[in-house]
Amino acid sequence: MNFALNADQQMFQKMFADFAAREVSSRAKEIDEAEKLPQDLLNKAGELGFWAALIPEDLGGAGLDAISYCSMLEEIGKADISTAVGLSVHNDLVVQSVVKHGSEEQQAKYLEPLGTGEMVGAFALTEPAAGSDVAALQMRATQQNGDFILNGCKNWVTNGAIAGLFLVFARNEGSITAFLVERESPGLKVGYREKTLGLRGLSFNTLYFDDCHIPVDNRLGKSGDGLAIVKEATDLDRLALSAISLGGSERALAEG
């Protein structure tokens, strides 16, 4: 079996490495001390299509294959793990879910701002009493007068401080369903940022939903599709985090 990168993958790898060395590596200390990702850096990543990595070309994105996508995260992970994880959560947890399960209307509304980084995505799954055990989720969604009404709490939401769109999972009529919740939705409050020992450039926030109203059209997929959407998204995210960890290890080895 041939594991060599093809010509396109080699081209992308060089572009990612050049960007990481030029724009990210020198700012890793600044990112860590400021405890946030600089907006100008996020904008530059958007100009190069990094926020649109997993959006197909026919939908206006970069359309990277899995190897090129992991190469992007590996190279940026060498420069700053916080930046790489922020991109991965946006791409493989949120953008991929909208691409694969979103209606035409949802894709038309959200993929362009997600692809430019104008709207950063965040994945809201974990709760005080439920982490990877999705079946234990307690957050509720009830339907009323053309809206879904969300009530509950989400913890450790990566990108919470900068996100414009949250992919939220809640129990609806006994099954887990996914919802696209915009930051300005009435009844949503983005709470405090958790302090962390590492990944300090990322924001991990608590979200509070108190009769949070969202349109019925913002349900992602069908009622009860939530478990399948979580599994599909987190399968790719595990691969992405492995690539980021590899990049960080390569940096440590080079400097060791």
Side-chain angles (χ1 to χ4, degrees):
M1 183 177 292
N2 182 9
F3 290 101
L5 301 181
N6 62 36
D8 285 344
Q9 291 164 348
Q10 290 178 36
M11 176 193 68
F12 282 128
Q13 184 185 48
K14 183 180 186 306
M15 180 182 74
F16 302 142
D18 288 347
F19 176 82
R22 185 179 67 254
E23 302 289 351
V24 185
S25 185
S26 63
R27 303 186 69 178
K29 185 173 184 293
E30 169 197 339
I31 291 169
D32 186 73
E33 292 177 347
E35 297 188 349
K36 65 179 181 180
L37 301 179
Q39 187 60 49
D40 65 305
L41 179 59
L42 303 184
N43 293 343
K44 289 175 182 176
E47 292 169 4
L48 290 175
F50 292 0
W51 296 106
L54 297 181
I55 300 176
E57 291 183 17
D58 61 355
L59 292 177
L64 295 184
D65 61 68
I67 292 175
S68 295
Y69 176 60
C70 286
S71 179
M72 179 186 86
L73 297 177
E74 178 187 354
E75 295 300 331
I76 296 177
K78 289 180 187 178
D80 179 62
I81 290 179
S82 290
T83 304
V85 173
L87 283 166
S88 74
V89 167
H90 169 90
N91 277 296
D92 50 66
L93 293 179
V94 180
V95 169
Q96 177 197 218
S97 298
V98 176
V99 167
K100 293 194 172 183
H101 300 279
S103 65
E104 289 185 5
E105 292 77 12
Q106 289 169 343
Q107 291 177 354
K109 182 177 182 179
Y110 292 119
L111 287 184
E112 182 176 351
L114 286 171
T116 61
E118 175 188 345
M119 177 179 276
V120 174
F123 192 76
L125 176 65
T126 302
E127 297 179 359
S132 57
D133 181 10
V134 183
L137 292 183
Q138 298 178 9
M139 186 166 172
R140 301 288 173 176
T142 56
Q143 193 169 344
Q144 184 181 78
N145 298 328
D147 284 348
F148 278 106
I149 303 175
L150 305 181
N151 281 284
C153 175
K154 295 293 183 181
N155 300 105
W156 297 103
V157 178
T158 309
N159 287 344
I162 62 174
L165 186 69
F166 299 93
L167 177 52
V168 180
F169 297 86
R171 191 173 296 280
N172 173 240
E173 297 182 352
S175 60
I176 306 300
T177 299
F179 302 91
L180 297 170
V181 182
E182 296 180 22
R183 189 181 191 89
E184 303 304 322
S185 299
L188 168 60
K189 177 183 177 182
V190 179
Y192 61 89
R193 177 192 180 281
E194 298 282 356
K195 289 290 185 180
T196 58
L197 294 176
L199 294 175
R200 286 163 28 110
L202 287 174
S203 60
F204 300 92
N205 295 74
T206 300
L207 305 183
Y208 300 96
F209 298 83
D210 183 11
D211 286 342
C212 175
H213 286 247
I214 63 168
V216 169
D217 291 343
N218 276 41
R219 179 183 63 195
L220 186 65
K222 302 186 296 295
S223 290
D225 282 354
L227 286 174
I229 292 173
V230 168
K231 183 181 185 305
E232 187 174 61
T234 53
D235 280 350
L236 179 57
D237 191 53
R238 292 185 182 99
L239 182 63
L241 291 175
S242 297
I244 295 169
S245 299
L246 175 61
S249 298
E250 289 171 327
R251 172 72 176 272
L253 183 62
E255 295 187 357

